[in-house]
Amino acid sequence: MKTRKSQKIISTILLIFMIIGQLNNVFAAQIGETKDLVSLGECGNDLRYTNPQGVTVDIITHYVVYNENGKQYPAYCLNSDLHRSRR
């Protein structure tokens, strides 16, 4: 009985988190629209992979935002050809 009750509580908590997660707004620039991006600095070597030549490569990541109406929003680059790497 106790296990069933704890499963119900956990399920309810997860459901609440899922609903709250859906309330976040995602903003995107339209095609042809420009945003002024500002780098707030390097985040370190968060990403690492081994390339086809067997060399481990650290990807330099930056925290980049754009300002709109006095608020800062995170920006993401979706073009994989624009990355820089450090060996």
Side-chain angles (χ1 to χ4, degrees):
M1 190 72 145
K2 219 175 196 183
T3 304
R4 190 171 178 95
K5 189 174 184 178
S6 63
Q7 285 178 342
K8 190 172 185 179
I9 291 171
I10 291 172
S11 296
T12 303
I13 291 170
L14 289 175
L15 180 62
I16 290 170
F17 280 127
M18 289 173 56
I19 291 171
I20 290 172
Q22 295 299 316
L23 299 176
N24 289 339
N25 292 328
V26 175
F27 301 95
Q30 300 298 319
I31 295 175
E33 182 182 2
T34 60
K35 297 283 185 186
D36 292 324
L37 302 179
V38 178
S39 175
L40 298 182
E42 276 191 25
C43 296
N45 300 329
D46 296 329
L47 301 172
R48 178 178 284 170
Y49 76 99
T50 303
N51 66 17
Q53 291 78 27
V55 177
T56 299
V57 179
D58 291 334
I59 302 295
I60 302 169
T61 56
H62 294 261
Y63 187 64
V64 178
V65 298
Y66 69 93
N67 297 308
E68 189 170 287
N69 299 327
K71 259 184 121 174
Q72 289 185 333
Y73 296 96
Y76 303 94
C77 177
L78 300 178
N79 187 342
S80 62
D81 295 332
L82 296 179
H83 73 278
R84 294 186 316 168
S85 61
R86 183 185 297 165
R87 291 179 193 187

